[in-house]
Amino acid sequence: MYLNILKKDLKRKRTMNFVILLFVILSAMFFSSGMNNIVSVMGGVDRFLDLAGMKDYLIVIGEPDNRAVFGEELDKCDAVSGYSRETAIILTADTLRIRGSETCGFGMGLFVPAGEEVIRCFDRNNEPITSAERGKVFITNSFAEKAGIEDGDALTFELCGVSLTLESAGICKDAVLGSEIVDSPRFIVHPDDFETLFADEQIRHAFSTGVYMIETDDTGAVDEIINDVGGCRLNAAESLIRMTYILSISIAAIIMAVSIFLILISFAVLRFTIGFTIAEEFREIGVMKAIGIKNRSIRLLYLVKYLGIALIGASIGFFAGIPFGEMLLNSVSRNMMLGNSHPVLIGVLSCAAVVGMILLFCWGCTAKIKKLSPIDAVRSGQTGERFRKKSLLHLGKSRLSASGFLSCNNVLGNPKQTAILTAVFTLCAVLVTVLSNAANTFASDKLIYLISVTASDVYLDRTSDNLKVQNGLCTLEDAEAEIEQTLAENGLPGTVHVERFYISSVELNGKTDSGRFLICDDTSATDYQYSEGTAPQYANEIALGSLIAEEIGAKIGDTVSVTVNGETRNMIVSALFDSFCNIGKCGRFHESFDLPASAMAGTMAYQIDFDDHPDDALITERIAQIKQIFGTDHVFDKAGYVDDCAKSADAMSGAKNLTMAVSLLIILLMSILLERSFISKERSEIALMKAIGFKNRSVIGIHVLRFVIITAVSVLLAALLGEPATKLIMDPVFAMLGALRGLSYAHNPTETFVIFPLTVLAAVTAGTFFTALGMGRIKASDTSGIE
């Protein structure tokens, strides 16, 4: 009996049932793929680091002539229980040519022999790379994609007059330095090819680097050794390495949030549908009660239908979720090994959970069947009594047209129905607005202060100068003067300055942490933004990044011990600031603080300020010119430099576009389903309107206008809620990157207030209009007809 009822109902309400099926499919697809993504990414980070051999502390330190001075000091340290070391050649962007002439910028590259790495890397098939063929090189995937390197492409390495051309053998997945945020590609080669470069005395003296993986329970003791030895290029605890994958985890979390949102939407759709169905089938329900069928049995009749739809939809969603999840994880899986050994089981359990939640919700929604009685079948489902006003509007006082009045009256006269529909549309629009604000913020220059640099016209990244300065081949002043002279010779006069940073440790009450501490001789500490306190005024004052201050429990006015360049000094904390630099593990010295440039760990990009103060359009033209002059593509304006450092704009933009597509699909389907339900529910009213002279187009207009009013209110609410919702959702994400106190988001008014609202209105209008055309089959004679 149940199957016969289900079969007849599915035939009679094809459109409504098909839309419900689509929502169930989408919910199951997103939920199963979202759960798999969360497990794959979060479990994958732990598994990937374990397989790669990550220990407590990673140190990359310059060791001229391959003298393992740092290793000798580690041997004496009681806090170090063990360590491993590999020799590498440090590379800069100007030492590499791709396909003979092309360049691609990067922060710090490592040229290493295969089989000797302390960090185990994997190929695209997730197999450990233990060897490389002579004449070939494996390249970190994130850099290979950025540079457009394909298998078989030629890469030429040129250092100190020695040239070596190798063929790309494929990509390598590097757990420790392979995330897009780190920007430190690894080049794995045959030991003989490595020796071709390393045998040169100049290369060995200037570019020899030690990569250490250290086991310790006291990173502060290791930091003291770093400060004593000097020359540190990179130091990162295991927790910091894990944080470099925060973007992948955040995107997976966003997809999961979208899937939960879809399930909630599905519940709203089911509530509408079940409510309309029960109201429409008052006669059948009344008759069943009259012949003695219990409430429970009648409710089970409806549950059979939704069980069938839920099972079919979940099955389709499960199979569709497999390629969909792979597509979402495609970019992540190319850079790391995922940690999900039971994707099918998780997918099945997720889809089963969707079915279970839908059935429980449907059972709750059918509770109103208890209120119906056999007499309702006689009274056409109406009691004939109403003890409240239908609406706030009064026909006699209204100046609206008949269509306008009826549309507004319907919206105000059904507050619960209108509120649910408005909430769904608003949530869709808010979700898109949040991701749009996040993507626009990452792609704007509003975050330049979070990179811990001042605003300049152009940023030129030349990491090769760092090694020259550290090796005493030139000074930073010489490098800045050379850039200024080259620009002037090409008709681009301006001033150049650069931020340099040191790896320093800071201690308070026995708690120690380390990070990048910045200083610039050509700017004042007052030129930077601080979230608390005042800028350092004297050499014995320091500003601390919020995360490093939180780690050691430092507050404004505390005196901390700072060890830098082998010397420990007591300094007063005068300010705290948020920064993406080193994921918040940073600080800033006063410009009078005495530190030799030769002891620095590196620099930020060279900042160029033109004498003629050009506008944005002219800056864009000059960036292209500077790229030609210096032979590098690592030249940016403020927004470009923020994106290059944070490397999040593209990922956020992709998440925004996906969410926008899903939201528009939800809004379109909701419009179709609800309009179809309204036509079925209001069949007698529509027939009556036609009987008293309303044209078919007028009735259609009333229905369309009703949805347009609700949509307009929804997008207006979304615009008002966009900013607080963005802060609520995105501030925790930015806090993980170093902005603990939140930030001011960039908005695209055209997109937020024009493009998206008009797109939503167009989708709603089109969906409602074409669905409303079906009321053309309703005639005036159907006024009292009951199907």
Side-chain angles (χ1 to χ4, degrees), residues 279-294:
E280 187 180 33
E281 297 178 352
F282 59 88
R283 171 171 289 181
E284 288 86 344
I285 295 171
V287 170
M288 283 190 285
K289 287 197 172 187
I291 62 176
I293 299 178
K294 302 295 185 183

Side-chain angles (χ1 to χ4, degrees), residues 424-645:
V424 170
F425 285 3
T426 301
L427 285 174
C428 286
V430 165
L431 192 57
V432 174
T433 301
V434 167
L435 294 177
S436 175
N437 289 342
N440 292 331
T441 301
F442 272 119
S444 75
D445 59 7
K446 294 193 70 169
L447 301 186
I448 193 66
Y449 73 96
L450 285 172
I451 310 301
S452 295
V453 297
T454 54
S456 292
D457 295 328
V458 173
Y459 298 80
L460 170 63
D461 202 345
R462 283 165 58 95
T463 54
S464 58
D465 289 343
N466 298 343
L467 293 177
K468 294 178 182 178
V469 173
Q470 290 161 345
N471 291 315
L473 301 178
C474 72
T475 65
L476 275 182
E477 290 77 11
D478 294 336
E480 292 170 353
E482 179 190 348
I483 295 173
E484 288 183 1
Q485 182 179 350
T486 303
L487 290 172
E489 291 172 353
N490 287 272
L492 302 173
T495 59
V496 177
H497 69 276
V498 65
E499 298 273 353
R500 64 183 191 270
F501 60 82
Y502 298 77
I503 304 298
S504 306
S505 64
V506 57
E507 185 267 337
L508 177 65
N509 297 329
K511 295 182 179 180
T512 305
D513 204 355
S514 64
R516 291 183 177 182
F517 284 71
L518 299 108
I519 186 171
C520 181
D521 297 330
D522 300 312
T523 61
S524 170
T526 57
D527 295 336
Y528 303 86
Q529 291 190 30
Y530 303 92
S531 53
E532 188 178 343
T534 58
Q537 302 292 320
Y538 306 99
N540 68 334
E541 293 184 347
I542 191 172
L544 293 180
S546 299
L547 284 180
I548 204 169
E550 186 180 74
E551 187 71 23
I552 65 173
K555 298 180 176 60
I556 302 296
D558 287 343
T559 298
V560 297
S561 297
V562 179
T563 303
V564 57
N565 196 31
E567 183 181 353
T568 301
R569 307 186 196 183
N570 291 327
M571 305 185 72
I572 300 171
V573 179
S574 69
L576 302 178
F577 65 97
D578 288 350
S579 176
F580 288 162
C581 182
N582 206 37
I583 314 185
K585 295 292 188 76
C586 58
R588 175 166 295 282
F589 297 118
H590 187 262
E591 59 270 17
S592 64
F593 192 76
D594 184 23
L595 281 172
S598 58
M600 70 185 188
T603 67
M604 306 296 280
Y606 286 89
Q607 298 178 228
I608 303 171
D609 293 289
F610 298 111
D611 292 342
D612 57 350
H613 308 293
D615 58 18
D616 292 343
L618 188 54
I619 287 175
T620 302
E621 295 178 9
R622 290 183 177 180
I623 287 175
Q625 189 176 351
I626 293 172
K627 288 180 179 180
Q628 294 291 327
I629 295 171
F630 291 96
T632 178
D633 60 352
H634 241 203
V635 185
F636 313 99
D637 59 8
K638 291 189 289 291
Y641 191 53
V642 170
D643 185 34
D644 182 68
C645 293

Side-chain angles (χ1 to χ4, degrees), residues 22-234:
L22 283 179
F23 272 106
V24 175
I25 291 172
L26 288 172
S27 298
M29 183 178 74
F30 271 82
F31 193 60
S32 61
S33 61
M35 284 295 294
N36 270 314
N37 287 3
I38 289 289
V39 173
S40 296
V41 175
M42 297 191 71
V45 172
D46 294 335
R47 177 169 174 263
F48 195 22
L49 290 174
D50 289 342
L51 290 174
M54 180 67 195
K55 305 300 182 185
D56 300 309
Y57 212 179
L58 169 73
I59 305 294
V60 180
I61 193 165
E63 295 182 326
D65 301 314
N66 201 29
R67 295 193 305 272
V69 178
F70 183 66
E72 295 171 2
E73 295 299 320
L74 290 177
D75 290 331
K76 303 174 186 177
C77 183
D78 295 333
V80 176
S81 56
Y83 70 90
S84 52
R85 176 189 180 275
E86 68 171 311
T87 298
I89 296 174
I90 192 167
L91 299 178
T92 55
D94 65 329
T95 61
L96 174 64
R97 292 291 180 271
I98 304 166
R99 291 177 287 269
S101 60
E102 299 174 32
T103 63
C104 185
F106 55 85
M108 175 191 71
L110 293 177
F111 191 84
V112 299
E116 300 180 21
E117 313 99 295
V118 298
I119 302 167
R120 191 177 300 112
C121 295
F122 302 84
D123 61 20
R124 57 168 52 94
N125 296 319
N126 296 331
E127 296 295 331
I129 297 175
T130 57
S131 63
E133 293 183 36
R134 185 77 186 268
K136 295 195 175 182
V137 55
F138 288 96
I139 311 157
T140 302
N141 182 71
S142 56
F143 176 73
E145 289 188 347
K146 175 183 175 182
I149 299 173
E150 302 287 345
D151 292 0
D153 284 350
L155 279 75
T156 301
F157 302 88
E158 298 178 357
L159 291 87
C160 301
V162 181
S163 177
L164 175 65
T165 299
L166 302 174
E167 179 184 319
S168 173
I171 62 100
C172 72
K173 299 179 181 181
D174 182 355
V176 179
L177 301 175
S179 73
E180 294 180 352
I181 292 178
V182 177
D183 195 25
S184 293
R186 181 185 296 269
F187 303 89
I188 303 176
V189 300
H190 190 276
D192 291 345
D193 291 325
F194 178 83
E195 193 62 29
T196 300
L197 295 181
F198 198 71
D200 184 85
E201 184 177 349
Q202 283 185 290
I203 294 176
R204 193 166 56 250
H205 177 75
F207 297 94
S208 177
T209 302
V211 181
Y212 291 83
M213 195 64 74
I214 304 169
E215 295 180 60
T216 179
D217 55 2
D218 184 2
T219 57
V222 178
D223 289 335
E224 291 180 8
I225 300 175
I226 293 174
N227 289 316
D228 291 337
V229 173
C232 182
R233 311 277 194 252
L234 173 69

Side-chain angles (χ1 to χ4, degrees), residues 23 26-27 29-30 255 257-259 261-263 265 324 327-328 424 428-429 431-432 435 654-670 756:
F23 272 106
L26 288 172
S27 298
M29 183 178 74
F30 271 82
I255 299 302
V258 171
S259 68
F261 176 66
L262 266 171
I263 293 173
I265 297 296
F324 181 68
M327 180 194 73
L328 294 176
V424 170
C428 286
L431 192 57
V432 174
L435 294 177
K656 178 197 73 174
N657 293 336
L658 173 63
T659 305
M660 182 179 292
V662 172
S663 297
L664 288 174
L665 179 61
I666 289 172
I667 290 171
L668 180 61
L669 291 176
M670 285 285 288
F756 185 65

